[in-house]
Amino acid sequence: MASEVVSAAYSARSEEYTSLFGSMESTHAADRELVRSWAQGLHGRVIDAGCGPGQWANFLHSLGIEVEGVDLVSEFVATAQQRHPEVPFRVESLERLQTPDQSLAGILAWYSVIHTPPDDIGAVLSEFVRCIEPGGSLLLGFFEGKAVEAFPHAVTPAYFWPVGEMAARLLNAGLTVVSTHSRTDPGSRPHAAIVARRKEP
Ligand SMILES: C[S@@+](CC[C@H](N)C(=O)[O-])C[C@H]1O[C@@H](n2cnc3c(N)ncnc32)[C@H](O)[C@@H]1O
């Protein structure tokens, strides 16, 4: 199963990942600003879905957001909990969030669906939509590319997505795209983010 491969790959490299990417200093100022402005429009609980070492969940907590971090990898959850004791973290799969229907103001999925096979991403987005209240919001970060295609990410294979193709998947899942953000930094793969809102009934 794809998620077991992803989990084993990150388990084996969780310390390395944490030392390279586990702090807000390793994040881009434009991303911090996007997450900050997104969060300031939310009223209610938020999940950092695929939180890794928990730096974004802690960032949201520092903004006064009621946030919980979830990740498939127990090493990440333990590290996140130890580094950020005021934020709750738990081991959980994006495919099956232990969250009641329509109970969240928002989900941050920052580079956490990059390893999800294209045939499976609809199910993950639908699970997000199940948990988000009508009018609530999803912020998705991912690698942008000209086509949906796999590439050899350092941890385990990941996928490039054209923004338009990801936006179509979000629409199919029941979300409306609010804004898109693209950037290519020197020496980095192209980055994209989409803010989407769950449609009102
Ligand atoms: C590239 S890392 C991003 C981590 C964190 N969001 C960040 O920005 O540093 C991808 C994360 O998604 C998690 N992940 C991938 N697939 C998952 C799944 N199906 N369920 C839960 N977590 C998953 C991985 O364990 C990993 O922590």
Side-chain angles (χ1 to χ4, degrees):
M1 196 178 156
S3 61
E4 285 165 3
V5 172
V6 171
S7 178
Y10 274 100
S11 289
R13 302 187 71 168
S14 66
E15 283 183 30
E16 183 188 357
Y17 186 93
T18 299
S19 70
L20 288 173
F21 304 113
S23 74
M24 292 311 291
E25 286 70 42
S26 66
T27 63
H28 195 288
D31 296 336
R32 292 194 294 276
E33 194 41 47
L34 177 62
V35 175
R36 185 197 308 276
S37 64
W38 171 77
Q40 282 169 348
L42 303 177
H43 304 283
R45 278 185 66 224
V46 170
I47 280 186
D48 179 0
C51 62
Q55 72 279 13
W56 285 108
N58 188 56
F59 179 70
L60 291 168
H61 175 77
S62 76
L63 299 174
I65 300 290
E66 184 191 346
V67 60
E68 194 160 9
V70 307
D71 202 282
L72 202 53
V73 174
S74 59
E75 289 89 342
F76 276 146
V77 169
T79 298
Q81 198 63 83
Q82 194 236 327
R83 289 182 158 209
H84 309 298
E86 293 176 358
V87 182
F89 292 94
R90 57 178 198 268
V91 175
E92 205 164 287
S93 155
L94 303 184
E95 288 79 2
R96 190 184 281 260
L97 295 171
Q98 303 301 307
T99 299
D101 294 356
Q102 304 187 13
S103 62
L104 300 176
I107 293 181
L108 174 67
W110 199 251
Y111 279 83
S112 52
V113 299
I114 61 171
H115 306 291
T116 305
D119 285 349
D120 299 342
I121 204 161
V124 171
L125 297 178
S126 295
E127 179 64 353
F128 290 168
V129 169
R130 179 188 70 74
C131 298
I132 297 173
E133 62 193 14
S137 187
L138 170 69
L139 173 48
L140 194 72
F142 55 98
F143 292 113
E144 185 175 5
K146 288 187 169 56
V148 181
E149 60 184 2
F151 68 89
H153 182 276
V155 179
T156 188
Y159 295 85
F160 290 117
W161 284 85
V163 168
E165 182 65 31
M166 186 64 89
R169 302 298 183 101
L170 293 167
L171 193 66
N172 276 348
L175 294 146
T176 305
V177 171
V178 175
S179 61
T180 65
H181 310 262
S182 294
R183 186 181 71 240
T184 303
D185 301 314
S188 297
R189 298 182 178 107
H191 156 81
I194 300 181
V195 176
R197 180 179 298 125
R198 182 178 166 163
K199 291 175 193 161
E200 306 280 352

